[in-house]
Amino acid sequence: MGDEAREEFLCVSRAAASGGLLWRSWDADLYIVYQPSSAETHVFNGPTAAILRTLDDRLLTLDELKSHVEQALGAQRGDLAEADFFAAVHRLDELGLIERVQAADDVR
Amino acid sequence: MLTRASVDSATRRAQQLLLDAINQPADLIRLSVADWELLVRVGRRARLLGRIEADLAQRGLLHAIPTGAAQHLQAARQVITHRQTLITWEVNRILWALAGSATPLILLKGSGYLLARLPPARGRVFADVDLLVPEEKIGEIEEQLVGHGWFKTEIDPYDDRYYRVWMHEIPPLRHSERGTEIDLHHRLLPRTSRLPSSPEPLLAAAQPLADPRLHVLSPPDMVLHALVHLFLEGDPDEGLRLRDLLDVHDLLCHFAQQTDFWADLVARAGALGFRRPLFYGLRYAQRLFATPVPTSVVQQLAPAAPPRPLLALMDRLIPLALLPEHPDRPRGRATLARWLIYIRAHWLRMPPGLLTRHLSHKAWLRLRGVRKRVDLAQLDLRQQ
Amino acid sequence: MIIGDLARQDVAQRLAGDGLGIRFGPFNIRIRSELASFAALAHQLYAPYPIPGEASFNDFHVRLARPRGLRRWWRQQVCFAVDGQSPFAPYTVEHAFPALEWGINWCVATRSHHLLMLHSAVVERQGKAMLFPAWPGHGKSTLCTALIHSGWRLLSDEFGLVHPADGSVLPIPRLIPLKNESIDVIRRFRSDAVIGPAFYGTRKGTVAHVRPPLDSIRRADEPARPRWLVFPRWLAGAALSLTRMPKSQAFLMVATNSFNYEVLDATAFSLVADMVDACNCYSLCYSNLDEAIRVLGELADADQG
């Protein structure tokens, strides 16, 4: 993800959120999530789940999101490896669980 | 031994049950258990169980029918709801993958009915997403989709060549995780068709949906496409699909509320060279579903009728090919009718030399058992 | 009325005429066949199963028919057909019985989306169900057959039918197809088990059908609450081990060992999640059948929940 991507904001996908995700968690750091819009069941680790929960109905830039997630996980700023964070964001985007919003059409 | 007369009357009863269920759903609560049993069987064959369920649910009558039948309808509804979710989601993901592209996408058939919220979507299973796009954009769109998780399905070289050289679509694209297929069309009929199929007028008349990148065909074009699909996309086993004629009926009833729809439809059929399919479509929709068609329209289309002996033959063959047989008493005549209609459909689509080649290739595949056999992709059952 | 109330001749006549009605748990099946060998076997192995009343709704009309076309002349074959359609390649006529049994399972698995269908054996004690979701070859049928001959009731060897309304499991106590070595294992385990003839050289090797104990067939309308999820694995020479399994893993194994989890959308997610919530989950590794039966019995005895 290059500098260009950093100009974007991320938010929870309207398509995913409109159906409301179903969450279950029995074991530490493991979340099973059902996405009604796609009829898919996902398994997420703690950081990935934290990204979704942190975004909720907010618009955040990648940097803002990352520090919020670190805070939510009780980690120090910069603890979350960039590569892991971007991989999770990329995956959530691919699954239609988060949306990218260009700074230009900022709706804040 | 079953006599021909008893087979005919059993078949007539089965077919009448199905047509009555579609045409007068409120009367279904009066059916006996035995009639329900037969209706569920022929309804499944015609893939109309979901439609029956939707009509009963709309009237709040699902509780008023035998439990056994209601369970089969509920099972059908479950599959339909699920498939419709998948199709809607696939369109969402296509838009995501094509972000930044200004090319309009025209949703054809099922996905179009579904996203435009048109009546044929009710209780209907749709397998794939069918898109019509300008031919010069096909490569670009295919490339973008492949870059975002879709792959070109592997088909044998004969079929690939057949698609790309002769057909109106490219081999389907399938998503590597989701499995739903996308058919990209650049015209509605094969290049080889004896009917004209230039896509420019269709693209020009298409109408946008809520998301301005998505379009559906204009009402007259949508009806004509449904008819072309019904009469020219035959399948030798299934015959003509009754549910495709029902789509036409639903569209006609729905669009008839718009002023000038009928005049536009007749004019458009003339302009695009589809007066004959429209003549047939209205004729058999009227016969089977009592579709209200203005007398003036019937008169205007009368010159498009085929010569009298051919019409008499079609009047016998087409209902045979459209209506399901009694499941326990299939008749050779119906099987023959399905083959004749299939060959006719291919005749319209392809020049004769190519036709023989294609049919023999299909027959060869069939002998090897490549097609047709269902493989339940499930565990223990898969291995038997 | 049960099949056993009919004379053998009567069973054959019904099969060759309008069909023999038979009830397997929640499903009424109408079977047609003109094969004399099939009629004899049906009369024997289906004897305790009920015949649905005249006014009942038949869910599936199935038939064993000779294939049409040239093929019938060069080899004795039989096709399984449902509603006049043959979804599978023909079988040799000797395998007509297993073909029909399997075909009925196929009908249930592909058409009964009003229920959640897990791929699982299910047995019951004191109203509590133990489910064994498993891949083929993990010894689920053998273990299940041994349990139902040791005081457990059979709900099903193949289907965990979960009712969406309340999450209970519905019985469908069909014949259990044992494969290869399992046949002798069960013969040694209970010499009084009712086992049909062995069919050699089927697509799964040798197959023989065990008829469930009469009590299981008679109580086919008594559902049970899920209480245990046990994932069994038979391993030659392995020491017995019964270990707790993390619930997330149990969830994924149940969901992926299912015939229609994905078709039921959010309903399936909630049903499986609730089942996992309500169950203690274990993985079981065993080589000795008696030991496995004993440890599962102790598990049930210890449960006060």
Side-chain angles (χ1 to χ4, degrees):
Chain A
M1 225 165 276
D3 288 343
E4 193 188 315
R6 300 205 171 228
E7 300 301 312
E8 302 176 327
F9 295 97
L10 298 175
C11 64
V12 166
S13 161
R14 282 185 300 273
S18 67
L21 302 177
L22 305 181
W23 293 77
R24 294 282 178 131
S25 182
W26 292 283
D27 304 299
D29 215 30
L30 214 50
Y31 299 83
I32 300 184
V33 179
Y34 181 78
Q35 180 185 359
S37 54
S38 65
E40 288 168 323
T41 306
H42 311 291
V43 183
F44 294 136
N45 59 14
T48 311
I51 291 174
L52 269 182
R53 293 196 146 152
T54 302
L55 274 172
D56 202 12
D57 57 356
R58 289 186 288 182
L59 274 174
L60 297 173
T61 65
L62 276 171
D63 287 337
E64 288 167 351
L65 176 63
K66 188 161 181 290
S67 62
H68 276 92
V69 167
E70 283 163 342
Q71 213 173 2
L73 295 171
Q76 294 295 312
R77 197 176 169 84
D79 268 6
L80 191 57
E82 291 245 320
D84 293 345
F85 174 70
F86 287 139
V89 166
H90 178 77
R91 182 65 182 149
L92 290 173
D93 182 32
E94 194 173 50
L95 293 173
L97 287 166
I98 60 176
E99 266 176 41
R100 291 149 178 275
V101 181
Q102 294 298 324
D105 44 60
D106 187 353
V107 290
R108 274 201 284 199
Chain B
M1 203 58 206
L2 295 164
T3 63
R4 182 168 155 174
S6 80
V7 170
D8 278 352
S9 85
T11 299
R12 266 198 305 275
R13 177 164 152 261
Q15 295 176 343
Q16 201 55 52
L17 271 173
L18 186 61
L19 291 176
D20 288 348
I22 300 298
N23 293 326
Q24 289 109 33
D27 294 349
L28 281 171
I29 54 168
R30 290 203 286 271
L31 286 195
S32 68
V33 170
D35 281 343
W36 263 112
E37 202 175 298
L38 184 53
L39 177 60
V40 165
R41 299 175 72 197
V42 290
R44 189 193 307 283
R45 177 82 172 119
R47 296 189 215 179
L48 287 170
L49 286 185
R51 168 60 167 244
I52 297 170
E53 194 276 343
D55 284 347
L56 287 172
Q58 206 171 40
R59 291 165 176 78
L61 294 176
L62 276 174
H63 66 279
I65 66 168
T67 317
Q71 285 172 349
H72 287 269
L73 298 186
Q74 194 191 333
R77 201 241 345 254
Q78 195 63 55
V79 175
I80 286 161
T81 309
H82 175 65
R83 292 298 316 174
Q84 295 196 344
T85 302
L86 295 192
I87 297 285
T88 308
W89 185 246
E90 200 65 18
V91 173
N92 174 299
R93 291 294 82 194
I94 291 169
L95 290 175
W96 167 80
L98 302 181
S101 152
T103 307
L105 305 170
I106 300 178
L107 297 164
L108 296 175
K109 300 185 280 191
S111 46
Y113 303 150
L114 190 63
L115 277 105
R117 299 173 192 276
L118 289 168
R122 178 166 45 111
R124 176 84 147 84
V125 168
F126 304 111
D128 309 313
V129 176
D130 291 277
L131 293 174
L132 176 69
V133 293
E135 188 166 5
E136 68 276 11
K137 298 282 187 187
I138 287 253
E140 182 186 315
I141 291 177
E142 197 178 4
E143 203 175 298
Q144 265 183 295
L145 290 174
V146 167
H148 284 87
W150 281 264
F151 64 95
K152 302 175 193 183
T153 51
E154 281 185 32
I155 53 179
D156 72 56
Y158 170 87
D159 273 350
D160 190 70
R161 204 179 114 76
Y162 170 72
Y163 266 109
R164 295 200 182 255
V165 178
W166 305 109
M167 286 296 283
H168 50 305
E169 57 191 338
I170 63 165
L173 293 168
R174 185 182 297 151
H175 193 271
S176 55
E177 292 180 319
R178 291 190 297 274
T180 314
E181 286 191 359
I182 307 175
D183 283 328
L184 281 179
H185 303 249
H186 47 78
R187 54 186 63 217
L188 298 188
L189 281 171
R191 292 176 210 274
T192 53
S193 172
R194 289 156 174 258
L195 288 170
S197 65
S198 163
E200 286 77 17
L202 306 172
L203 296 171
Q207 302 189 344
L209 298 179
D211 184 312
R213 279 183 294 166
L214 294 178
H215 292 67
V216 288
L217 295 176
S218 70
D221 288 350
M222 199 184 284
V223 170
L224 294 172
H225 182 227
L227 282 168
V228 165
H229 181 66
L230 164 65
F231 287 117
L232 302 184
E233 309 254 313
D235 172 309
D237 286 324
E238 221 179 341
L240 299 179
R241 299 185 181 106
L242 186 63
R243 63 182 192 284
D244 288 349
L245 184 65
L246 190 57
D247 289 346
V248 172
H249 165 80
D250 282 345
L251 291 175
L252 290 172
C253 293
H254 179 72
F255 291 133
Q257 299 158 20
Q258 302 179 5
T259 29
D260 299 335
F261 166 71
W262 287 107
D264 290 349
L265 177 63
V266 174
R268 191 66 162 174
L272 297 178
F274 289 149
R275 280 166 64 87
R276 178 71 61 83
L278 180 59
F279 167 83
Y280 279 137
L282 297 186
R283 183 177 183 87
Y284 300 113
Q286 278 183 303
R287 288 194 173 191
L288 298 178
F289 302 123
T291 314
V293 180
T295 322
S296 60
V297 172
V298 176
Q299 283 164 356
Q300 280 173 288
L301 286 172
R308 210 165 265 282
L310 179 56
L311 183 58
L313 181 66
M314 288 310 230
D315 280 348
R316 283 182 64 77
L317 285 184
I318 286 186
L320 270 179
L322 273 169
L323 292 167
E325 294 292 290
H326 189 293
D328 296 332
R329 290 154 202 191
R331 298 175 299 177
R333 272 182 288 155
T335 312
L336 179 64
R338 292 198 181 105
W339 264 100
L340 286 174
I341 294 285
Y342 180 66
I343 288 172
R344 175 183 161 277
H346 272 258
W347 171 261
L348 285 167
R349 282 155 58 120
M350 283 181 224
L354 198 59
L355 175 75
T356 331
R357 230 161 68 210
H358 185 64
L359 279 178
S360 64
H361 185 76
K362 290 274 184 217
W364 180 68
L365 280 176
R366 180 107 86 101
L367 271 180
R368 280 169 43 209
V370 172
R371 294 185 195 271
K372 201 176 164 222
R373 299 292 173 208
V374 174
D375 190 10
L376 182 70
Q378 274 303 344
L379 313 172
D380 216 7
L381 288 172
R382 178 168 51 194
Q383 304 196 344
Q384 278 275 351
Chain C
M1 191 153 97
I2 59 171
I3 304 276
D5 293 338
L6 302 175
R8 188 159 138 182
Q9 201 52 35
D10 205 0
V11 168
Q13 270 170 12
R14 288 186 187 210
L15 284 167
D18 280 344
L20 174 72
I22 186 166
R23 184 163 182 81
F24 293 121
F27 302 103
N28 292 329
I29 321 280
R30 187 62 78 95
I31 307 169
R32 286 181 180 79
S33 161
E34 286 172 10
L35 300 172
S37 57
F38 176 80
L41 212 46
H43 186 244
Q44 181 205 337
L45 289 178
Y46 292 157
Y49 287 94
I51 300 175
E54 275 302 309
S56 304
F57 182 93
N58 290 297
D59 293 280
F60 309 118
H61 288 249
V62 298
R63 181 174 203 148
L64 288 169
R66 308 301 295 276
R68 275 180 285 181
L70 286 174
R71 241 197 298 218
R72 63 185 302 171
W73 299 107
W74 60 272
R75 217 164 67 182
Q76 290 271 309
Q77 286 189 319
V78 66
C79 270
F80 170 83
V82 54
D83 292 338
Q85 304 285 301
S86 299
F88 315 108
Y91 297 78
T92 72
V93 76
E94 291 79 17
H95 295 159
F97 192 82
L100 180 93
E101 276 290 299
W102 187 74
I104 292 174
N105 281 353
W106 182 85
C107 290
V108 171
T110 53
R111 297 182 169 186
S112 310
H113 304 298
H114 59 295
L115 302 170
L116 171 66
M117 293 179 278
L118 308 179
H119 185 240
S120 173
V122 189
V123 297
E124 175 263 0
R125 249 173 71 170
Q126 290 158 350
K128 296 170 191 170
M130 185 176 281
L131 288 92
F132 301 95
W135 301 95
H138 282 192
K140 136 180 99 68
S141 291
T142 322
L143 181 60
C144 171
T145 308
L147 281 168
I148 62 171
H149 288 89
S150 311
W152 293 76
R153 172 167 73 106
L154 175 72
L155 268 71
S156 174
D157 163 57
E158 187 83 20
F159 293 102
L161 299 180
V162 184
H163 202 292
D166 62 1
S168 64
V169 184
L170 307 181
I172 172 166
R174 310 224 321 112
L175 303 182
I176 300 173
L178 291 178
K179 286 133 219 159
N180 305 316
E181 301 81 26
S182 302
I183 303 167
D184 278 336
V185 170
I186 293 300
R187 281 204 182 108
R188 282 197 299 272
F189 184 82
R190 279 288 179 279
S191 56
D192 57 346
V194 180
I195 307 183
F199 300 96
Y200 301 96
T202 75
R203 293 167 205 182
K204 287 197 140 190
T206 304
V207 171
H209 299 84
V210 179
R211 194 170 77 194
L214 296 181
D215 177 64
S216 298
I217 297 174
R218 288 189 190 123
R219 293 168 62 197
D221 56 356
E222 278 180 42
R225 303 295 313 171
R227 184 68 190 96
W228 304 276
L229 281 163
V230 178
F231 299 85
R233 174 144 211 193
W234 184 88
L235 258 181
L240 182 88
S241 74
L242 183 71
T243 47
R244 281 275 188 163
M245 176 185 273
K247 292 206 175 199
S248 309
Q249 193 186 343
F251 178 96
L252 294 173
M253 287 183 69
V254 172
T256 50
N257 272 298
S258 160
F259 292 105
N260 64 346
Y261 172 84
E262 67 288 349
V263 178
L264 264 64
D265 298 341
T267 305
F269 176 85
S270 300
L271 284 173
V272 174
D274 291 348
M275 177 179 286
V276 167
D277 268 336
C279 284
N280 295 337
C281 309
Y282 300 92
S283 63
L284 168 71
C285 189
Y286 74 99
S287 56
N288 182 311
L289 206 46
D290 292 291
E291 277 180 27
I293 303 300
R294 178 181 51 75
V295 76
L296 293 175
E298 286 167 6
L299 199 62
D301 291 339
D303 187 74
Q304 306 299 321

